[in-house]
Amino acid sequence: MRARLSDIARQAEVSEATVSRVLNDRPGVSADTRQAVLTALDVLGYERPERLRKRSAGLVGLVVPELENPIFPAFAQTIESALSQSGFTPVLCTQPPGGVTEDEYVEMLLDRQVSGIVFVSGLHADTTADHERYRKLVDRPLPIVLINGYAEGLDAPFISCDDRLAAELAVNHLVALGHRRIGFVSGPDRFLNVQRKLEGYRTAMRRELGLRDRELDELVALTLFGVEGGEVAAGQLLGRGVTGLVCGSDLMALGAIRAARRRGLSVPRDVSVVGFDDSPLIAFTDPPLTTLRQPVAAMGNAAIRQLVDEINGHGAPRSEYVFSPELVVRGSTAINAGARGSEVERDAESVGSSAA
């Protein structure tokens, strides 16, 4: 045993007496030192004493729409990591087309007596859905947190990205590059995030270019989410002479690039494309995609802090926490070849000074 203590002490860079205090769960050791000793145990392959083994604080459901869009695995990874660090065991529930529904997953999670549920872009984001399903969970009471979506009157914490600001930043960027015919491509307008992006797009287009609602209507194409939907919607707008496209997701932006190439157009020489999410690997597409980055780590960690507070009875504030996106400029946007150089430089200078 003494040899083992010396090995652990050497690995953790502490005294054998300190190792003994940690292994016997005695006071007088700082949290950092205690963690160093436990890490040394793990590294050397020793089992932790029973009293020191981390016990699960319970199961937590994590409901996401699907895993084909890389943004949802990114959220899942962040949330699962945060749950594990808080002692909870995550139960991932995905909803491929034709598979188990959100309500069916909730029933299964309730049968397993979960401590709480996190919903990412669920039915709470659909303005036509009945949100009574969430009120019933709150009334049980079961702690829930809802990411990217908001339901008026629902007494629960919400975590959202600022979709309005994202669309405005995209439009401002394209205007600064000399684009005037800027289209908007996104999914069905029954979803709140689409409505908010569209509102931001229209606000920026009115402010920057002085366009009226009737003029903007022909620059908007709403269709199904995904690469195929983006390709169809972008094809419609390219036929109307747009030189810049603001897309509701990175996958739709990839569809828009495909639509441009099928028309013999080059991105970004002929058409500039802006996505939304900054999904993993999107920086390595051809061309690398200019996009609005969702702060996934900050949003996911905030959601779990709220949920754990709810589970522990501390009562997280019932409001919507809105996180700002970040414009990430890459190779899919460029100066509009048809714009006058001096005009573009003036616009770019104006946007830069306002950002400062």
Side-chain angles (χ1 to χ4, degrees):
M1 182 63 180
R2 185 167 183 80
R4 292 181 63 185
L5 283 177
S6 64
D7 292 341
I8 297 167
R10 188 180 305 109
Q11 179 68 30
E13 298 183 348
V14 298
S15 69
E16 293 182 29
T18 297
V19 173
S20 179
R21 283 197 293 272
V22 172
L23 295 182
N24 289 286
D25 202 21
R26 292 174 181 166
V29 182
S30 70
D32 289 343
T33 300
R34 185 178 298 275
Q35 185 58 51
V37 172
L38 295 177
T39 300
L41 279 173
D42 297 338
V43 170
L44 295 173
Y46 296 137
E47 286 190 9
R48 297 186 183 189
E50 178 65 29
R51 68 175 70 88
L52 299 180
R53 293 177 189 173
K54 192 173 185 179
R55 292 176 176 84
S56 173
L59 302 176
V60 168
L62 170 56
V63 183
V64 300
E66 38 91 2
L67 296 179
E68 291 186 0
N69 186 335
I71 198 62
F72 295 128
F75 268 113
Q77 183 175 3
T78 294
I79 292 169
E80 288 180 342
S81 175
L83 284 171
S84 297
Q85 291 174 17
S86 299
F88 291 92
T89 301
V91 181
L92 179 62
C93 304
T94 63
Q95 305 168 69
V100 180
T101 66
E102 181 176 306
D103 290 337
E104 290 170 335
Y105 271 131
V106 168
E107 288 300 319
M108 288 190 286
L109 292 171
L110 293 177
D111 288 343
R112 287 161 175 76
Q113 298 182 325
V114 294
S115 300
I117 303 177
V118 180
F119 296 90
V120 180
S121 299
L123 291 172
H124 63 285
D126 188 338
T127 59
T128 65
D130 183 3
H131 296 146
E132 184 63 26
R133 52 175 50 88
Y134 302 112
R135 294 188 181 91
K136 290 179 179 178
L137 294 176
V138 172
D139 291 341
R140 288 181 70 93
L142 180 74
I144 63 173
V145 176
L146 304 108
I147 297 177
N148 279 341
Y150 180 74
E152 188 71 37
L154 181 58
D155 192 25
F158 293 86
I159 305 291
S160 299
C161 185
D162 193 334
D163 293 298
R164 295 186 187 89
L165 176 60
E168 289 192 44
L169 290 173
V171 170
N172 291 346
H173 173 62
L174 292 174
V175 169
L177 292 174
H179 296 275
R180 296 297 178 263
R181 294 284 292 177
I182 301 171
F184 178 80
V185 171
S186 193
D189 64 357
R190 71 175 188 272
F191 293 105
L192 183 63
N193 63 326
V194 175
Q195 294 175 6
R196 288 175 168 179
K197 286 189 181 78
L198 183 55
E199 181 181 338
Y201 163 81
R202 287 181 176 274
T203 297
M205 292 289 282
R206 293 190 200 101
R207 181 183 63 240
E208 300 297 327
L209 301 176
L211 297 183
R212 295 169 295 183
D213 287 340
R214 186 173 58 186
E215 295 172 302
L216 290 173
D217 287 344
E218 70 170 16
L219 298 177
V220 174
L222 305 181
T223 181
L224 299 177
F225 285 114
V227 175
E228 293 77 11
E231 181 178 358
V232 170
Q236 296 172 3
L237 297 184
L238 290 171
R240 299 169 191 169
V242 300
T243 64
L245 287 167
V246 176
C247 301
S249 73
D250 289 339
L251 292 186
M252 298 196 82
L254 295 182
I257 292 173
R258 181 193 292 178
R261 286 175 173 167
R262 288 193 172 179
R263 287 175 169 262
L265 301 174
S266 172
V267 176
R269 187 186 65 226
D270 302 313
V271 181
S272 286
V273 178
V274 181
F276 175 82
D277 282 334
D278 196 28
S279 312
L281 302 181
I282 211 67
F284 306 102
T285 57
D286 179 24
L289 187 66
T290 294
T291 187
L292 276 300
R293 176 182 293 157
Q294 282 203 73
V296 171
M299 293 171 66
N301 286 317
I304 298 310
R305 285 197 300 271
Q306 298 290 340
L307 187 73
V308 171
D309 282 347
E310 287 277 327
I311 292 172
N312 292 333
H314 299 318
R318 276 36 169 216
S319 57
E320 184 179 20
Y321 299 85
V322 180
F323 289 72
S324 296
E326 176 188 357
L327 176 65
V328 182
V329 179
R330 299 193 180 103
S332 66
T333 53
I335 292 175
N336 179 15
R340 290 175 298 177
S342 59
E343 183 180 1
V344 173
E345 291 172 2
R346 184 173 64 252
D347 287 345
E349 182 179 350
S350 173
V351 170
S353 62
S354 63

